[in-house]
Amino acid sequence: MRKFMDVDFLLQSETAKRLYAAVENLPIIDWHCHLDPQDIARDKVYTNLTELWLKTDHYKWRAMRACGIDEEYITGAKSDFEKFKKWAAAIEHCIGNPLYHWTHLELQRVFDCYTPLSAKTAKEIWEHCKTVLKKGLKVSDILQKFNVEAICTSDDPCDTLEFHRSIAYNSDNSRTVNLKPTFRPSALLNVENPEWSAYIGKLSDISRVTVYDWESLIEAAVNRVDYFNSHNCNMADHALDPPVYVGANEKKLNKIITKALTFTTSGERLTADEINGFKTEMLIALAKKYNELGWSMQLHMGAARQVNTSMTAILGADKGYDCMGDENYADALAHILDRLEISESLPRTFLFGLNPKENDLLTVIAGCFQGNCRKSDKPAKAKVQVGPAWWFNDHKDGIELQLRAFANNGVLAHFAGMLTDSRSYLSYARHEYFRRILCNLIGTWVENGEYPADFEKLEEIVKGVAYYNARGYFLNS
């Protein structure tokens, strides 16, 4: 019997161990997350494990609810220690859940605590971690422990990016962490939202462009893209939910905008065709601008939002009530990519599918849009590729499924690798989790005689996927 989560955790062959040794200490580039840049800029200090660990983590909340724990101990008014005790009582039941591994990797790497968490050990671990926290554990300390080189946050177009500016350099002119904004225009595209008109008023103010029609809206949006570009941004993040492709001309778009801007007074709602036409044309227009600037674009697909409407009404969004959807987005996605390719304006694009049954579909679609139709440009490696297993898929099985699909129908050596997609600083342990799974899978292929034991090439591949590919895509572009 192997020791619980020892130095060879998840590494089942000598080849896997050798490959992991090559990537173990590489820096981390977290190219998509939901961390608060204000906490990073102000180097927040955490006072206890609940504040650091449970306050914003809906992965843990879902598990606690599944264990029959009252909401008062999850998002309610119970004390931080009471909430932690309930989490400790829940986690010992989570055999097979990645939360069990993440929890103990986080305790080991940040708190040097190797005791398995349970109801019996909750008090002991709470006190142990409190001692570490009393020394003043700051965000920068956690980032340093995990060797985090760059963080790409998710930011609204109207964000001033003041915290990104403030963290750019230390007094000695050396970078602390490369904190990069990501342009996330969900509020801009969600024209069906009753608050859209108010949001456009905010956009008009910050861009100093009065929005009243399609042309002025694009001018305001491009103004913010340029602003982000001047603040170290080179990536945008779009949610393609539900998948739509409906073309619309400028006359129709002007009518849609007028209707949306006057909804609060007229009460006239947009039709599904109008909503989809607007979202399609706005995505296309923005993608062309991204390509012009040399940005990358993420397309996140397959989420069904806030399906438990009664609990969402009580607690609000992002409280653990989203799930996988089952939309057929192949046709819409292919049309969007094709239209951008035809106009020679397809940026580097990362396709994220939340439903794992779409792994192969997305990888095959990506394979149709490699190279570059502009003969004067040098073709990019893996210009369109599938993003890493995320959200409900970033467990061992999900990661392996995504890696196998990428390898089966793409070129795995050019994969951009792992990200956290998280609101927790302790989540950087997931990069170690991913690297171990990656090295074990490739090690298995080598051990089975499916690839030669050429360790110079093998180490180049795993180092690329673990770190260097992301560095080239997001830091050197």
Side-chain angles (χ1 to χ4, degrees), residues 216-401:
S216 57
L217 179 58
I218 294 299
E219 182 183 353
V222 166
N223 173 283
R224 298 311 296 165
V225 173
D226 285 332
Y227 179 83
F228 271 59
N229 190 65
S230 69
H231 286 74
N232 195 32
C233 179
N234 60 358
M235 183 156 48
D237 173 24
H238 287 253
L240 199 60
D241 291 319
V244 294
Y245 179 82
V246 178
N249 59 32
E250 188 170 349
K251 182 179 179 180
K252 181 177 179 180
L253 291 165
N254 285 336
K255 288 180 64 176
I256 293 169
I257 290 168
T258 299
K259 195 172 176 180
L261 289 175
T262 58
F263 169 74
T264 54
T265 54
S266 70
E268 186 179 5
R269 295 187 179 276
L270 295 171
T271 66
D273 184 70
E274 289 171 328
I275 294 167
N276 294 341
F278 175 86
K279 290 187 175 184
T280 298
E281 297 301 330
M282 180 57 72
L283 173 59
I284 294 292
L286 288 173
K288 289 180 177 180
K289 179 64 176 178
Y290 306 152
N291 184 65
E292 176 188 317
L293 295 173
W295 284 18
S296 297
M297 177 172 69
Q298 301 174 36
L299 296 177
H300 284 84
M301 299 165 281
R305 305 283 180 177
Q306 301 165 24
V307 297
N308 185 332
T309 56
S310 59
M311 287 303 297
T312 299
I314 296 170
L315 300 178
D318 300 322
K319 297 299 189 295
Y321 298 107
D322 301 333
C323 65
M324 293 179 191
D326 194 24
E327 299 279 358
N328 178 8
Y329 43 75
D331 187 62
L333 176 61
H335 275 88
I336 289 168
L337 298 177
D338 185 51
R339 184 166 159 194
L340 289 167
E341 184 72 6
I342 288 170
S343 60
E344 301 185 352
S345 51
L346 177 63
R348 179 181 292 282
T349 302
F350 297 88
L351 309 175
F352 290 79
L354 191 55
N355 195 322
K357 73 183 181 68
E358 309 294 355
N359 283 342
D360 292 306
L361 181 148
L362 291 177
T363 306
V364 172
I365 290 176
C368 295
F369 297 95
Q370 303 303 328
N372 200 313
C373 65
R374 292 173 290 190
K375 295 181 180 179
S376 60
D377 288 356
K378 182 179 179 181
K381 293 179 180 178
K383 179 178 179 179
V384 179
Q385 63 175 268
V386 177
W390 62 297
W391 205 344
F392 300 114
N393 299 300
D394 51 5
H395 43 72
K396 183 175 181 288
D397 290 341
I399 290 170
E400 287 187 349
L401 283 172

Side-chain angles (χ1 to χ4, degrees), residues 1 34 54 109-110 130 132 145 152 161 173 197 208 215 244 267 278 280 286 310-311 319 329 348 355 440 443 446 477:
M1 181 184 298
H34 299 278
L54 298 173
R109 301 299 175 262
V110 178
K130 188 197 304 189
V132 176
K145 284 177 182 289
C152 300
L161 306 181
N173 207 37
S197 178
R208 298 182 181 178
E215 183 178 358
V244 294
F278 175 86
T280 298
L286 288 173
S310 59
M311 287 303 297
K319 297 299 189 295
Y329 43 75
R348 179 181 292 282
N355 195 322
N440 188 65
V446 175
S477 58

Side-chain angles (χ1 to χ4, degrees), residues 121-141:
T121 63
K123 178 67 173 176
E124 171 193 344
I125 291 176
W126 176 269
E127 293 299 328
H128 172 90
C129 294
K130 188 197 304 189
T131 300
V132 176
L133 290 164
K134 276 185 176 179
K135 296 176 183 177
L137 186 70
K138 304 185 294 294
V139 166
S140 60
D141 297 325

Side-chain angles (χ1 to χ4, degrees), residues 61-71 73-74 86 90 93:
W61 298 347
R62 287 168 66 98
M64 292 171 76
R65 290 169 186 146
C67 288
I69 294 172
D70 190 275
E71 195 67 30
Y73 294 93
I74 303 171
K86 291 293 185 180
H93 297 284

Side-chain angles (χ1 to χ4, degrees), residues 17 40 46 49 71 171 193 209 248 307-308 323 339 401 403 438 462:
K17 295 173 188 177
I40 302 172
Y46 289 90
L49 264 181
E71 195 67 30
S171 56
N193 190 325
V209 176
V307 297
N308 185 332
C323 65
R339 184 166 159 194
L401 283 172
L403 290 171
L438 168 72
V462 294

